[in-house]
Amino acid sequence: MASSSSTIVRPLAGPTGFGRARGGRTGRPASRPRARFDGLGAVRVALWCAVAALVLVPIAAILALAATGGGWSALGDPDVLGAARNSLVSAALSAVLAVVIGTALALLLERTDLPGRRALRMLALSPMLMPPFVGAIAWLSLLGPSSTVNTLWSQRFGAPLWNLYGGDGVVFLLTLHSYPIAMMIVTAALRRVPADLEQAARIAGSSAPRALWEVTTPLLRPAMLSSLTLIAVSNLADFGIPSIIGLPERYVTLSTLVYRYLQSGTVDDPLAVVSAIGFVLLVIALLGVVVDLMRARTRVELDAQAGSPALLPLGRARAALGALTATVVLAATVLPLITLAIQSLLPAPGVPLSPETVTLASFGRALGASGTLTGIGNSLMLATLAGLICGVLGLGIGTFVTRTRARSNPALLGLSLLPQAIPGLVIAVAWLVIAPRIGLYNTPWLILCAYLTSFLALVVQSVHAPLSATPTTAEEAARISGATRLRALWDISCRMAVPAAISGAVLVALTAVRELTLSVLLLSPGSQTLGVVIFNLQQAGAYNASSALSLIVAVVGLAGLGLTARTPR
């Protein structure tokens, strides 16, 4: 029998959520133990502030200026309408052609017994590793008005083979630099198509080509539509190719028109006008993203195939088709680089190549040109800072959205990836609007901010992908051993993701060091970058010097990206 001084405590059951009574009292809700503060919330707030400053603030700034400024009346100007028409036509045509070419190459290299498939696959993807404006200069050395090909053709037939300048050249080069994106997306989807479907069609009496066309190809339509949207939005505001290839024939796009407005001041309020143009481009880009997301919600996901499908035998056409594919791929990838190297070794355009005419003077003129060393220094500084900052932020965001549970994680991930769908032209205009209010106008730090907005998603994706496929058992063991949530994230997840973050940061640096669209629109005295220097040399008529500097950028970029691809993650 209990003593009279003792207190009987009984737990109260039921849905009321009451726990043990305190001090002998029953019927009182037990106070929940307070969560120990371990810094996780503070880091999450810091990441949100960084993403808001880099993504939300620029978008809000351009929306505010577009809504309150007087630039809407300029949208009806014939110059703007003509530029918009050219941009839409070149973006749409290049996207369609890129998807067709990329899908055809993916099917040939993944589903047939084409000889040399591995080497051809690497070569076919190489245009994506070269800056578009460098590719434009390379192709001008091959098919420009004074190129050797057109000169010899004119001497024999009385007219050039093809003058690359103009709208058709813009569409051609946009297609050439975009088809690797479609090829990668379609190849990834193709590898997830179950081999059983093709085998069932073959058992039912279908031939191998018919099974490939009627069974496999329809399943690739979602990937084809996704790549079409991505490429069209990206090409809509490209600056390098239209400025180098289109402007000499007065083929003006929205990006080159915005550059003219900002540099020449031909309109009363250039920022208001370009903000209105940027708003329209932003709406188009976001509509593309929404359409792609709606399509993704209705598509059927296929499990990865259990076994490798039987390759389509090409039979007697194998050798001929292999030679034709190799010729086309080599002509589209290696030949421009060879002509670019030849152009760099000649003293002037139109000079025939011979042992007597080979010289390194173009490299000397390029490196000794006004602003070249400054541009190289600025590019290295800005690219290094962009890589470091994006690496740290991307590591934190990628780790938090995959390893923690919070309702805000999808929003944080979506906002950090959103700039991938926003044209660089819009990002540049947005930071131009913000610059006077934060004291960054006419400084190189404005370009750095635009780099961070544009390239943060590269590191986030690099970290997010491997962590999503890694179990959390190691972190759970650390928590059981007494580690806080933040300590477990730092010691386990972050250390696992560091190699991926480093690879992403190197990719950011290599992309930023040769970037043109953001740099040329945000240019200020003393803040020119390497891409701007090459562009200015090309515009000034120093074609051999620009070719020499472009060759250096192309070789260094390809080598750097090759080393990045070999880095273990």
Side-chain angles (χ1 to χ4, degrees), residues 36 141 193 249 332 334 383 401 476 512:
R36 184 174 54 181
S141 63
V193 175
E249 290 293 329
V334 178
V401 298
E476 294 170 356

PDB file of all heavy atoms in Angstrom, residues 36 141 193 249 332 334 383 401 476 512:
ATOM      1  N   ARG A  36      16.877  21.420 -29.678  1.00  0.00           N
ATOM      2  CA  ARG A  36      18.169  22.021 -29.420  1.00  0.00           C
ATOM      3  C   ARG A  36      18.643  22.779 -30.656  1.00  0.00           C
ATOM      4  O   ARG A  36      18.628  22.262 -31.761  1.00  0.00           O
ATOM      5  CB  ARG A  36      19.175  20.929 -29.054  1.00  0.00           C
ATOM      6  CG  ARG A  36      20.529  21.469 -28.664  1.00  0.00           C
ATOM      7  CD  ARG A  36      21.432  20.357 -28.185  1.00  0.00           C
ATOM      8  NE  ARG A  36      21.522  19.295 -29.165  1.00  0.00           N
ATOM      9  CZ  ARG A  36      22.239  18.192 -28.979  1.00  0.00           C
ATOM     10  NH1 ARG A  36      22.876  18.008 -27.835  1.00  0.00           N
ATOM     11  NH2 ARG A  36      22.283  17.250 -29.912  1.00  0.00           N
ATOM     12  N   SER A 141      36.270  31.437 -90.758  1.00  0.00           N
ATOM     13  CA  SER A 141      37.544  31.132 -91.403  1.00  0.00           C
ATOM     14  C   SER A 141      37.401  30.047 -92.456  1.00  0.00           C
ATOM     15  O   SER A 141      38.262  29.909 -93.334  1.00  0.00           O
ATOM     16  CB  SER A 141      38.565  30.698 -90.341  1.00  0.00           C
ATOM     17  OG  SER A 141      38.152  29.505 -89.697  1.00  0.00           O
ATOM     18  N   VAL A 193      14.556   3.118 -72.219  1.00  0.00           N
ATOM     19  CA  VAL A 193      13.499   2.385 -72.908  1.00  0.00           C
ATOM     20  C   VAL A 193      13.734   0.892 -72.727  1.00  0.00           C
ATOM     21  O   VAL A 193      14.811   0.384 -73.091  1.00  0.00           O
ATOM     22  CB  VAL A 193      13.473   2.744 -74.407  1.00  0.00           C
ATOM     23  CG1 VAL A 193      12.443   1.893 -75.143  1.00  0.00           C
ATOM     24  CG2 VAL A 193      13.159   4.219 -74.591  1.00  0.00           C
ATOM     25  N   GLU A 249      25.181  41.438 -92.379  1.00  0.00           N
ATOM     26  CA  GLU A 249      24.110  41.432 -93.384  1.00  0.00           C
ATOM     27  C   GLU A 249      22.837  42.067 -92.846  1.00  0.00           C
ATOM     28  O   GLU A 249      21.755  41.858 -93.398  1.00  0.00           O
ATOM     29  CB  GLU A 249      23.824  39.985 -93.818  1.00  0.00           C
ATOM     30  CG  GLU A 249      24.936  39.352 -94.632  1.00  0.00           C
ATOM     31  CD  GLU A 249      25.096  39.997 -95.992  1.00  0.00           C
ATOM     32  OE1 GLU A 249      24.092  40.483 -96.552  1.00  0.00           O
ATOM     33  OE2 GLU A 249      26.241  40.020 -96.498  1.00  0.00           O
ATOM     34  N   ALA A 332      31.758  18.876 -89.096  1.00  0.00           N
ATOM     35  CA  ALA A 332      31.076  19.819 -88.211  1.00  0.00           C
ATOM     36  C   ALA A 332      31.867  20.154 -86.961  1.00  0.00           C
ATOM     37  O   ALA A 332      31.594  21.173 -86.311  1.00  0.00           O
ATOM     38  CB  ALA A 332      29.710  19.255 -87.802  1.00  0.00           C
ATOM     39  N   VAL A 334      35.750  18.992 -86.269  1.00  0.00           N
ATOM     40  CA  VAL A 334      37.198  19.128 -86.377  1.00  0.00           C
ATOM     41  C   VAL A 334      37.605  20.127 -87.452  1.00  0.00           C
ATOM     42  O   VAL A 334      38.543  20.920 -87.259  1.00  0.00           O
ATOM     43  CB  VAL A 334      37.836  17.749 -86.649  1.00  0.00           C
ATOM     44  CG1 VAL A 334      39.346  17.877 -86.812  1.00  0.00           C
ATOM     45  CG2 VAL A 334      37.509  16.785 -85.519  1.00  0.00           C
ATOM     46  N   ALA A 383      36.066  34.627 -63.150  1.00  0.00           N
ATOM     47  CA  ALA A 383      35.736  33.211 -63.277  1.00  0.00           C
ATOM     48  C   ALA A 383      36.127  32.443 -62.011  1.00  0.00           C
ATOM     49  O   ALA A 383      35.381  31.561 -61.560  1.00  0.00           O
ATOM     50  CB  ALA A 383      36.437  32.621 -64.499  1.00  0.00           C
ATOM     51  N   VAL A 401      18.725  20.473 -49.711  1.00  0.00           N
ATOM     52  CA  VAL A 401      17.466  20.063 -50.345  1.00  0.00           C
ATOM     53  C   VAL A 401      17.370  18.551 -50.494  1.00  0.00           C
ATOM     54  O   VAL A 401      16.261  18.024 -50.687  1.00  0.00           O
ATOM     55  CB  VAL A 401      17.302  20.741 -51.722  1.00  0.00           C
ATOM     56  CG1 VAL A 401      17.232  22.246 -51.569  1.00  0.00           C
ATOM     57  CG2 VAL A 401      18.407  20.346 -52.685  1.00  0.00           C
ATOM     58  N   GLU A 476      22.455   8.773 -40.376  1.00  0.00           N
ATOM     59  CA  GLU A 476      21.675   8.243 -39.254  1.00  0.00           C
ATOM     60  C   GLU A 476      22.589   7.660 -38.189  1.00  0.00           C
ATOM     61  O   GLU A 476      22.346   7.821 -36.984  1.00  0.00           O
ATOM     62  CB  GLU A 476      20.698   7.197 -39.768  1.00  0.00           C
ATOM     63  CG  GLU A 476      19.619   7.769 -40.683  1.00  0.00           C
ATOM     64  CD  GLU A 476      18.818   6.674 -41.354  1.00  0.00           C
ATOM     65  OE1 GLU A 476      19.150   5.492 -41.159  1.00  0.00           O
ATOM     66  OE2 GLU A 476      17.862   7.012 -42.089  1.00  0.00           O
ATOM     67  N   ALA A 512      32.526  30.660 -67.341  1.00  0.00           N
ATOM     68  CA  ALA A 512      32.562  32.107 -67.135  1.00  0.00           C
ATOM     69  C   ALA A 512      33.744  32.758 -67.839  1.00  0.00           C
ATOM     70  O   ALA A 512      33.638  33.899 -68.310  1.00  0.00           O
ATOM     71  CB  ALA A 512      32.617  32.408 -65.639  1.00  0.00           C
TER      72      ALA A 512
END
